[in-house]
Amino acid sequence: LGLENTPADQYSDVTQQLAGYVGAGVPVALNFGLAAIGRITPAVALAQTGMDLAIWAQTVSWNGAINETTRLLVQRPRPYVYSRPAEGRNFANYTSFYSGHTSFSAASSVALVMIMLARGAPLLLTLGSILTAHLLIFSTGLFRVLAGRHFLSDVIVGALAGTLIALAVSW
């Protein structure tokens, strides 16, 4: 595909957004699905959904704050600045380390897995969440590198940071 691939940039936006929709949506569907089949009351479903979404929202909020702080401190240029130095005049092109798209995908996806484990979700749903997390994190990072927006180290650190933040908030 080559670097600086425009479709890869668009795909990374899609995979990042999908991680958010899945991370926030699956707990809602699980809780209200359990209420619909009579396993829990609607009041319990609402309370659990509120707690799950609070954990998810805290995770992605902390992830965003830590990511932006790190970017401001590190000031690493994006890969394309090295081949086109004039692009370096734009401050936004000095926010490569670490990948916000990848860290968001990891934070959202790992938060979902932790929520599923804490809720004692059915095994198939938990395994599906784990598989989805791996796919979304990997594909988001891959697309960010192919788009020429990040170095490999940016997406690896982004995946680790998002994962660790989700684990810390869940704990």
Side-chain angles (χ1 to χ4, degrees), residues 60-93:
V60 297
S61 296
W62 276 109
N63 180 67
I66 293 168
N67 179 252
E68 287 302 316
T69 301
T70 303
R71 286 173 171 216
L72 288 172
L73 292 172
V74 174
Q75 294 286 305
R76 181 180 188 177
R78 293 188 182 272
Y80 55 79
V81 172
Y82 293 99
S83 62
R84 296 188 310 273
E87 298 277 338
R89 292 187 202 126
N90 183 349
F91 175 76
N93 292 337

PDB file of all heavy atoms in Angstrom, residues 60-93:
ATOM      1  N   VAL A  60     -11.391   6.614  28.730  1.00  0.00           N
ATOM      2  CA  VAL A  60     -11.041   7.373  27.523  1.00  0.00           C
ATOM      3  C   VAL A  60     -10.675   8.820  27.858  1.00  0.00           C
ATOM      4  O   VAL A  60      -9.848   9.417  27.161  1.00  0.00           O
ATOM      5  CB  VAL A  60     -12.139   7.284  26.425  1.00  0.00           C
ATOM      6  CG1 VAL A  60     -12.311   5.841  25.957  1.00  0.00           C
ATOM      7  CG2 VAL A  60     -13.445   7.864  26.879  1.00  0.00           C
ATOM      8  N   SER A  61     -11.222   9.366  28.925  1.00  0.00           N
ATOM      9  CA  SER A  61     -10.857  10.730  29.330  1.00  0.00           C
ATOM     10  C   SER A  61      -9.423  10.789  29.844  1.00  0.00           C
ATOM     11  O   SER A  61      -8.646  11.667  29.456  1.00  0.00           O
ATOM     12  CB  SER A  61     -11.819  11.245  30.399  1.00  0.00           C
ATOM     13  OG  SER A  61     -13.120  11.360  29.873  1.00  0.00           O
ATOM     14  N   TRP A  62      -9.069   9.875  30.736  1.00  0.00           N
ATOM     15  CA  TRP A  62      -7.687   9.817  31.224  1.00  0.00           C
ATOM     16  C   TRP A  62      -6.730   9.542  30.076  1.00  0.00           C
ATOM     17  O   TRP A  62      -5.641  10.116  30.004  1.00  0.00           O
ATOM     18  CB  TRP A  62      -7.522   8.755  32.312  1.00  0.00           C
ATOM     19  CG  TRP A  62      -7.901   9.243  33.668  1.00  0.00           C
ATOM     20  CD1 TRP A  62      -8.995   8.890  34.403  1.00  0.00           C
ATOM     21  CD2 TRP A  62      -7.187  10.203  34.460  1.00  0.00           C
ATOM     22  NE1 TRP A  62      -9.001   9.563  35.584  1.00  0.00           N
ATOM     23  CE2 TRP A  62      -7.903  10.374  35.646  1.00  0.00           C
ATOM     24  CE3 TRP A  62      -6.016  10.923  34.262  1.00  0.00           C
ATOM     25  CZ2 TRP A  62      -7.475  11.247  36.653  1.00  0.00           C
ATOM     26  CZ3 TRP A  62      -5.598  11.795  35.255  1.00  0.00           C
ATOM     27  CH2 TRP A  62      -6.326  11.947  36.433  1.00  0.00           C
ATOM     28  N   ASN A  63      -7.125   8.652  29.186  1.00  0.00           N
ATOM     29  CA  ASN A  63      -6.285   8.340  28.035  1.00  0.00           C
ATOM     30  C   ASN A  63      -6.026   9.594  27.207  1.00  0.00           C
ATOM     31  O   ASN A  63      -4.881   9.873  26.833  1.00  0.00           O
ATOM     32  CB  ASN A  63      -6.937   7.254  27.180  1.00  0.00           C
ATOM     33  CG  ASN A  63      -6.085   6.904  25.990  1.00  0.00           C
ATOM     34  OD1 ASN A  63      -5.011   6.353  26.129  1.00  0.00           O
ATOM     35  ND2 ASN A  63      -6.560   7.249  24.795  1.00  0.00           N
ATOM     36  N   GLY A  64      -7.051  10.351  26.925  1.00  0.00           N
ATOM     37  CA  GLY A  64      -6.890  11.567  26.127  1.00  0.00           C
ATOM     38  C   GLY A  64      -6.019  12.600  26.820  1.00  0.00           C
ATOM     39  O   GLY A  64      -5.153  13.221  26.190  1.00  0.00           O
ATOM     40  N   ALA A  65      -6.226  12.780  28.112  1.00  0.00           N
ATOM     41  CA  ALA A  65      -5.441  13.771  28.853  1.00  0.00           C
ATOM     42  C   ALA A  65      -3.963  13.387  28.906  1.00  0.00           C
ATOM     43  O   ALA A  65      -3.079  14.234  28.685  1.00  0.00           O
ATOM     44  CB  ALA A  65      -5.995  13.917  30.271  1.00  0.00           C
ATOM     45  N   ILE A  66      -3.690  12.122  29.172  1.00  0.00           N
ATOM     46  CA  ILE A  66      -2.295  11.663  29.234  1.00  0.00           C
ATOM     47  C   ILE A  66      -1.642  11.724  27.857  1.00  0.00           C
ATOM     48  O   ILE A  66      -0.484  12.131  27.716  1.00  0.00           O
ATOM     49  CB  ILE A  66      -2.218  10.257  29.861  1.00  0.00           C
ATOM     50  CG1 ILE A  66      -2.623  10.336  31.339  1.00  0.00           C
ATOM     51  CG2 ILE A  66      -0.832   9.657  29.703  1.00  0.00           C
ATOM     52  CD1 ILE A  66      -2.858   8.986  32.006  1.00  0.00           C
ATOM     53  N   ASN A  67      -2.400  11.357  26.825  1.00  0.00           N
ATOM     54  CA  ASN A  67      -1.865  11.408  25.463  1.00  0.00           C
ATOM     55  C   ASN A  67      -1.510  12.834  25.064  1.00  0.00           C
ATOM     56  O   ASN A  67      -0.423  13.086  24.551  1.00  0.00           O
ATOM     57  CB  ASN A  67      -2.878  10.796  24.491  1.00  0.00           C
ATOM     58  CG  ASN A  67      -2.396  10.839  23.054  1.00  0.00           C
ATOM     59  OD1 ASN A  67      -2.901  11.616  22.253  1.00  0.00           O
ATOM     60  ND2 ASN A  67      -1.407  10.027  22.737  1.00  0.00           N
ATOM     61  N   GLU A  68      -2.406  13.767  25.288  1.00  0.00           N
ATOM     62  CA  GLU A  68      -2.138  15.157  24.890  1.00  0.00           C
ATOM     63  C   GLU A  68      -0.983  15.753  25.681  1.00  0.00           C
ATOM     64  O   GLU A  68      -0.164  16.490  25.140  1.00  0.00           O
ATOM     65  CB  GLU A  68      -3.395  16.015  25.050  1.00  0.00           C
ATOM     66  CG  GLU A  68      -4.442  15.734  24.001  1.00  0.00           C
ATOM     67  CD  GLU A  68      -3.937  15.943  22.577  1.00  0.00           C
ATOM     68  OE1 GLU A  68      -3.242  16.950  22.299  1.00  0.00           O
ATOM     69  OE2 GLU A  68      -4.224  15.087  21.727  1.00  0.00           O
ATOM     70  N   THR A  69      -0.900  15.433  26.965  1.00  0.00           N
ATOM     71  CA  THR A  69       0.214  15.923  27.784  1.00  0.00           C
ATOM     72  C   THR A  69       1.536  15.382  27.263  1.00  0.00           C
ATOM     73  O   THR A  69       2.517  16.126  27.124  1.00  0.00           O
ATOM     74  CB  THR A  69       0.013  15.513  29.261  1.00  0.00           C
ATOM     75  OG1 THR A  69      -1.227  16.058  29.726  1.00  0.00           O
ATOM     76  CG2 THR A  69       1.153  16.010  30.127  1.00  0.00           C
ATOM     77  N   THR A  70       1.557  14.099  26.939  1.00  0.00           N
ATOM     78  CA  THR A  70       2.778  13.491  26.413  1.00  0.00           C
ATOM     79  C   THR A  70       3.172  14.126  25.089  1.00  0.00           C
ATOM     80  O   THR A  70       4.348  14.439  24.858  1.00  0.00           O
ATOM     81  CB  THR A  70       2.587  11.969  26.232  1.00  0.00           C
ATOM     82  OG1 THR A  70       2.221  11.399  27.491  1.00  0.00           O
ATOM     83  CG2 THR A  70       3.845  11.306  25.718  1.00  0.00           C
ATOM     84  N   ARG A  71       2.218  14.346  24.217  1.00  0.00           N
ATOM     85  CA  ARG A  71       2.517  14.956  22.919  1.00  0.00           C
ATOM     86  C   ARG A  71       3.096  16.363  23.079  1.00  0.00           C
ATOM     87  O   ARG A  71       4.018  16.746  22.362  1.00  0.00           O
ATOM     88  CB  ARG A  71       1.255  15.025  22.069  1.00  0.00           C
ATOM     89  CG  ARG A  71       0.837  13.699  21.518  1.00  0.00           C
ATOM     90  CD  ARG A  71      -0.502  13.831  20.832  1.00  0.00           C
ATOM     91  NE  ARG A  71      -0.807  12.620  20.121  1.00  0.00           N
ATOM     92  CZ  ARG A  71      -1.436  12.587  18.964  1.00  0.00           C
ATOM     93  NH1 ARG A  71      -1.843  13.702  18.399  1.00  0.00           N
ATOM     94  NH2 ARG A  71      -1.688  11.441  18.392  1.00  0.00           N
ATOM     95  N   LEU A  72       2.531  17.136  24.004  1.00  0.00           N
ATOM     96  CA  LEU A  72       3.040  18.490  24.219  1.00  0.00           C
ATOM     97  C   LEU A  72       4.465  18.477  24.770  1.00  0.00           C
ATOM     98  O   LEU A  72       5.272  19.341  24.438  1.00  0.00           O
ATOM     99  CB  LEU A  72       2.113  19.252  25.172  1.00  0.00           C
ATOM    100  CG  LEU A  72       0.770  19.655  24.596  1.00  0.00           C
ATOM    101  CD1 LEU A  72      -0.129  20.225  25.683  1.00  0.00           C
ATOM    102  CD2 LEU A  72       0.949  20.664  23.471  1.00  0.00           C
ATOM    103  N   LEU A  73       4.761  17.498  25.612  1.00  0.00           N
ATOM    104  CA  LEU A  73       6.100  17.406  26.192  1.00  0.00           C
ATOM    105  C   LEU A  73       7.130  16.875  25.194  1.00  0.00           C
ATOM    106  O   LEU A  73       8.250  17.370  25.135  1.00  0.00           O
ATOM    107  CB  LEU A  73       6.079  16.515  27.433  1.00  0.00           C
ATOM    108  CG  LEU A  73       5.313  17.059  28.636  1.00  0.00           C
ATOM    109  CD1 LEU A  73       5.207  15.998  29.729  1.00  0.00           C
ATOM    110  CD2 LEU A  73       5.975  18.318  29.168  1.00  0.00           C
ATOM    111  N   VAL A  74       6.753  15.868  24.402  1.00  0.00           N
ATOM    112  CA  VAL A  74       7.715  15.199  23.524  1.00  0.00           C
ATOM    113  C   VAL A  74       7.973  15.997  22.236  1.00  0.00           C
ATOM    114  O   VAL A  74       9.115  16.100  21.786  1.00  0.00           O
ATOM    115  CB  VAL A  74       7.253  13.758  23.205  1.00  0.00           C
ATOM    116  CG1 VAL A  74       8.150  13.101  22.174  1.00  0.00           C
ATOM    117  CG2 VAL A  74       7.209  12.933  24.488  1.00  0.00           C
ATOM    118  N   GLN A  75       6.939  16.530  21.622  1.00  0.00           N
ATOM    119  CA  GLN A  75       7.067  17.322  20.388  1.00  0.00           C
ATOM    120  C   GLN A  75       7.780  16.563  19.265  1.00  0.00           C
ATOM    121  O   GLN A  75       8.642  17.108  18.576  1.00  0.00           O
ATOM    122  CB  GLN A  75       7.813  18.628  20.671  1.00  0.00           C
ATOM    123  CG  GLN A  75       7.086  19.571  21.578  1.00  0.00           C
ATOM    124  CD  GLN A  75       5.929  20.243  20.892  1.00  0.00           C
ATOM    125  OE1 GLN A  75       6.115  20.850  19.848  1.00  0.00           O
ATOM    126  NE2 GLN A  75       4.749  20.139  21.447  1.00  0.00           N
ATOM    127  N   ARG A  76       7.428  15.310  19.076  1.00  0.00           N
ATOM    128  CA  ARG A  76       8.045  14.522  18.007  1.00  0.00           C
ATOM    129  C   ARG A  76       7.319  14.785  16.696  1.00  0.00           C
ATOM    130  O   ARG A  76       6.100  14.664  16.611  1.00  0.00           O
ATOM    131  CB  ARG A  76       7.954  13.039  18.347  1.00  0.00           C
ATOM    132  CG  ARG A  76       8.582  12.144  17.305  1.00  0.00           C
ATOM    133  CD  ARG A  76       8.434  10.708  17.717  1.00  0.00           C
ATOM    134  NE  ARG A  76       9.179   9.824  16.848  1.00  0.00           N
ATOM    135  CZ  ARG A  76       9.246   8.520  17.049  1.00  0.00           C
ATOM    136  NH1 ARG A  76       8.651   7.964  18.083  1.00  0.00           N
ATOM    137  NH2 ARG A  76       9.924   7.766  16.229  1.00  0.00           N
ATOM    138  N   PRO A  77       8.052  15.118  15.628  1.00  0.00           N
ATOM    139  CA  PRO A  77       7.393  15.368  14.345  1.00  0.00           C
ATOM    140  C   PRO A  77       6.833  14.087  13.728  1.00  0.00           C
ATOM    141  O   PRO A  77       7.351  13.000  13.960  1.00  0.00           O
ATOM    142  CB  PRO A  77       8.491  15.940  13.459  1.00  0.00           C
ATOM    143  CG  PRO A  77       9.759  15.810  14.195  1.00  0.00           C
ATOM    144  CD  PRO A  77       9.480  15.356  15.585  1.00  0.00           C
ATOM    145  N   ARG A  78       5.788  14.268  12.973  1.00  0.00           N
ATOM    146  CA  ARG A  78       5.215  13.132  12.245  1.00  0.00           C
ATOM    147  C   ARG A  78       6.190  12.691  11.152  1.00  0.00           C
ATOM    148  O   ARG A  78       7.028  13.472  10.704  1.00  0.00           O
ATOM    149  CB  ARG A  78       3.863  13.520  11.648  1.00  0.00           C
ATOM    150  CG  ARG A  78       2.814  13.766  12.728  1.00  0.00           C
ATOM    151  CD  ARG A  78       1.455  13.950  12.115  1.00  0.00           C
ATOM    152  NE  ARG A  78       0.450  14.237  13.118  1.00  0.00           N
ATOM    153  CZ  ARG A  78      -0.246  13.305  13.769  1.00  0.00           C
ATOM    154  NH1 ARG A  78      -0.043  12.033  13.518  1.00  0.00           N
ATOM    155  NH2 ARG A  78      -1.141  13.644  14.656  1.00  0.00           N
ATOM    156  N   PRO A  79       6.066  11.447  10.694  1.00  0.00           N
ATOM    157  CA  PRO A  79       7.032  10.924   9.704  1.00  0.00           C
ATOM    158  C   PRO A  79       7.153  11.756   8.433  1.00  0.00           C
ATOM    159  O   PRO A  79       8.253  11.946   7.915  1.00  0.00           O
ATOM    160  CB  PRO A  79       6.491   9.527   9.393  1.00  0.00           C
ATOM    161  CG  PRO A  79       5.733   9.139  10.605  1.00  0.00           C
ATOM    162  CD  PRO A  79       5.142  10.410  11.136  1.00  0.00           C
ATOM    163  N   TYR A  80       6.053  12.288   7.929  1.00  0.00           N
ATOM    164  CA  TYR A  80       6.120  13.012   6.658  1.00  0.00           C
ATOM    165  C   TYR A  80       6.867  14.343   6.770  1.00  0.00           C
ATOM    166  O   TYR A  80       7.280  14.912   5.765  1.00  0.00           O
ATOM    167  CB  TYR A  80       4.732  13.225   6.055  1.00  0.00           C
ATOM    168  CG  TYR A  80       3.732  13.899   6.956  1.00  0.00           C
ATOM    169  CD1 TYR A  80       3.739  15.275   7.145  1.00  0.00           C
ATOM    170  CD2 TYR A  80       2.763  13.150   7.611  1.00  0.00           C
ATOM    171  CE1 TYR A  80       2.816  15.886   7.964  1.00  0.00           C
ATOM    172  CE2 TYR A  80       1.833  13.753   8.435  1.00  0.00           C
ATOM    173  CZ  TYR A  80       1.866  15.127   8.610  1.00  0.00           C
ATOM    174  OH  TYR A  80       0.949  15.719   9.426  1.00  0.00           O
ATOM    175  N   VAL A  81       7.086  14.843   7.976  1.00  0.00           N
ATOM    176  CA  VAL A  81       7.837  16.092   8.144  1.00  0.00           C
ATOM    177  C   VAL A  81       9.293  15.899   7.724  1.00  0.00           C
ATOM    178  O   VAL A  81       9.933  16.817   7.221  1.00  0.00           O
ATOM    179  CB  VAL A  81       7.731  16.604   9.599  1.00  0.00           C
ATOM    180  CG1 VAL A  81       8.649  17.793   9.843  1.00  0.00           C
ATOM    181  CG2 VAL A  81       6.288  16.981   9.913  1.00  0.00           C
ATOM    182  N   TYR A  82       9.811  14.685   7.878  1.00  0.00           N
ATOM    183  CA  TYR A  82      11.198  14.427   7.500  1.00  0.00           C
ATOM    184  C   TYR A  82      11.403  14.482   5.991  1.00  0.00           C
ATOM    185  O   TYR A  82      12.455  14.888   5.522  1.00  0.00           O
ATOM    186  CB  TYR A  82      11.653  13.073   8.048  1.00  0.00           C
ATOM    187  CG  TYR A  82      11.733  13.070   9.555  1.00  0.00           C
ATOM    188  CD1 TYR A  82      10.702  12.532  10.316  1.00  0.00           C
ATOM    189  CD2 TYR A  82      12.819  13.628  10.209  1.00  0.00           C
ATOM    190  CE1 TYR A  82      10.765  12.552  11.696  1.00  0.00           C
ATOM    191  CE2 TYR A  82      12.892  13.648  11.594  1.00  0.00           C
ATOM    192  CZ  TYR A  82      11.860  13.109  12.332  1.00  0.00           C
ATOM    193  OH  TYR A  82      11.915  13.140  13.693  1.00  0.00           O
ATOM    194  N   SER A  83      10.394  14.083   5.234  1.00  0.00           N
ATOM    195  CA  SER A  83      10.525  14.135   3.776  1.00  0.00           C
ATOM    196  C   SER A  83      10.060  15.477   3.205  1.00  0.00           C
ATOM    197  O   SER A  83      10.430  15.832   2.091  1.00  0.00           O
ATOM    198  CB  SER A  83       9.747  12.991   3.125  1.00  0.00           C
ATOM    199  OG  SER A  83       8.375  13.095   3.416  1.00  0.00           O
ATOM    200  N   ARG A  84       9.253  16.211   3.959  1.00  0.00           N
ATOM    201  CA  ARG A  84       8.762  17.525   3.535  1.00  0.00           C
ATOM    202  C   ARG A  84       8.941  18.511   4.689  1.00  0.00           C
ATOM    203  O   ARG A  84       7.972  18.817   5.410  1.00  0.00           O
ATOM    204  CB  ARG A  84       7.298  17.427   3.123  1.00  0.00           C
ATOM    205  CG  ARG A  84       7.052  16.544   1.916  1.00  0.00           C
ATOM    206  CD  ARG A  84       5.625  16.627   1.406  1.00  0.00           C
ATOM    207  NE  ARG A  84       4.575  16.459   2.395  1.00  0.00           N
ATOM    208  CZ  ARG A  84       4.070  15.280   2.768  1.00  0.00           C
ATOM    209  NH1 ARG A  84       4.527  14.169   2.253  1.00  0.00           N
ATOM    210  NH2 ARG A  84       3.090  15.219   3.657  1.00  0.00           N
ATOM    211  N   PRO A  85      10.147  19.038   4.901  1.00  0.00           N
ATOM    212  CA  PRO A  85      10.426  19.897   6.058  1.00  0.00           C
ATOM    213  C   PRO A  85       9.511  21.121   6.173  1.00  0.00           C
ATOM    214  O   PRO A  85       9.271  21.606   7.273  1.00  0.00           O
ATOM    215  CB  PRO A  85      11.886  20.315   5.854  1.00  0.00           C
ATOM    216  CG  PRO A  85      12.473  19.245   5.011  1.00  0.00           C
ATOM    217  CD  PRO A  85      11.354  18.776   4.118  1.00  0.00           C
ATOM    218  N   ALA A  86       8.977  21.617   5.066  1.00  0.00           N
ATOM    219  CA  ALA A  86       8.081  22.779   5.130  1.00  0.00           C
ATOM    220  C   ALA A  86       6.836  22.469   5.962  1.00  0.00           C
ATOM    221  O   ALA A  86       6.245  23.370   6.565  1.00  0.00           O
ATOM    222  CB  ALA A  86       7.690  23.219   3.726  1.00  0.00           C
ATOM    223  N   GLU A  87       6.451  21.193   6.015  1.00  0.00           N
ATOM    224  CA  GLU A  87       5.292  20.788   6.820  1.00  0.00           C
ATOM    225  C   GLU A  87       5.544  21.023   8.314  1.00  0.00           C
ATOM    226  O   GLU A  87       4.619  21.084   9.105  1.00  0.00           O
ATOM    227  CB  GLU A  87       4.981  19.303   6.598  1.00  0.00           C
ATOM    228  CG  GLU A  87       4.618  18.940   5.192  1.00  0.00           C
ATOM    229  CD  GLU A  87       3.167  19.191   4.876  1.00  0.00           C
ATOM    230  OE1 GLU A  87       2.346  19.260   5.804  1.00  0.00           O
ATOM    231  OE2 GLU A  87       2.847  19.310   3.685  1.00  0.00           O
ATOM    232  N   GLY A  88       6.824  21.165   8.681  1.00  0.00           N
ATOM    233  CA  GLY A  88       7.183  21.365  10.072  1.00  0.00           C
ATOM    234  C   GLY A  88       6.762  22.713  10.628  1.00  0.00           C
ATOM    235  O   GLY A  88       6.783  22.922  11.838  1.00  0.00           O
ATOM    236  N   ARG A  89       6.366  23.628   9.762  1.00  0.00           N
ATOM    237  CA  ARG A  89       5.899  24.943  10.239  1.00  0.00           C
ATOM    238  C   ARG A  89       4.574  24.844  10.984  1.00  0.00           C
ATOM    239  O   ARG A  89       4.245  25.701  11.787  1.00  0.00           O
ATOM    240  CB  ARG A  89       5.755  25.897   9.062  1.00  0.00           C
ATOM    241  CG  ARG A  89       7.066  26.268   8.454  1.00  0.00           C
ATOM    242  CD  ARG A  89       6.876  27.352   7.393  1.00  0.00           C
ATOM    243  NE  ARG A  89       8.018  27.309   6.501  1.00  0.00           N
ATOM    244  CZ  ARG A  89       7.946  27.201   5.199  1.00  0.00           C
ATOM    245  NH1 ARG A  89       6.781  27.190   4.595  1.00  0.00           N
ATOM    246  NH2 ARG A  89       9.035  27.150   4.477  1.00  0.00           N
ATOM    247  N   ASN A  90       3.817  23.796  10.687  1.00  0.00           N
ATOM    248  CA  ASN A  90       2.518  23.603  11.335  1.00  0.00           C
ATOM    249  C   ASN A  90       2.725  22.857  12.656  1.00  0.00           C
ATOM    250  O   ASN A  90       3.196  21.727  12.677  1.00  0.00           O
ATOM    251  CB  ASN A  90       1.591  22.811  10.410  1.00  0.00           C
ATOM    252  CG  ASN A  90       0.202  22.629  10.974  1.00  0.00           C
ATOM    253  OD1 ASN A  90      -0.065  22.901  12.139  1.00  0.00           O
ATOM    254  ND2 ASN A  90      -0.695  22.158  10.135  1.00  0.00           N
ATOM    255  N   PHE A  91       2.336  23.483  13.759  1.00  0.00           N
ATOM    256  CA  PHE A  91       2.520  22.895  15.092  1.00  0.00           C
ATOM    257  C   PHE A  91       1.843  21.529  15.208  1.00  0.00           C
ATOM    258  O   PHE A  91       2.344  20.633  15.878  1.00  0.00           O
ATOM    259  CB  PHE A  91       1.969  23.838  16.168  1.00  0.00           C
ATOM    260  CG  PHE A  91       2.013  23.260  17.537  1.00  0.00           C
ATOM    261  CD1 PHE A  91       3.216  23.185  18.230  1.00  0.00           C
ATOM    262  CD2 PHE A  91       0.864  22.770  18.142  1.00  0.00           C
ATOM    263  CE1 PHE A  91       3.273  22.650  19.506  1.00  0.00           C
ATOM    264  CE2 PHE A  91       0.908  22.223  19.413  1.00  0.00           C
ATOM    265  CZ  PHE A  91       2.118  22.167  20.091  1.00  0.00           C
ATOM    266  N   ALA A  92       0.714  21.345  14.541  1.00  0.00           N
ATOM    267  CA  ALA A  92      -0.020  20.072  14.634  1.00  0.00           C
ATOM    268  C   ALA A  92       0.788  18.912  14.072  1.00  0.00           C
ATOM    269  O   ALA A  92       0.503  17.753  14.376  1.00  0.00           O
ATOM    270  CB  ALA A  92      -1.355  20.174  13.902  1.00  0.00           C
ATOM    271  N   ASN A  93       1.797  19.184  13.260  1.00  0.00           N
ATOM    272  CA  ASN A  93       2.620  18.125  12.697  1.00  0.00           C
ATOM    273  C   ASN A  93       3.708  17.653  13.657  1.00  0.00           C
ATOM    274  O   ASN A  93       4.508  16.805  13.325  1.00  0.00           O
ATOM    275  CB  ASN A  93       3.240  18.576  11.379  1.00  0.00           C
ATOM    276  CG  ASN A  93       2.188  18.743  10.303  1.00  0.00           C
ATOM    277  OD1 ASN A  93       1.116  18.149  10.374  1.00  0.00           O
ATOM    278  ND2 ASN A  93       2.477  19.556   9.316  1.00  0.00           N
TER     279      ASN A  93
END
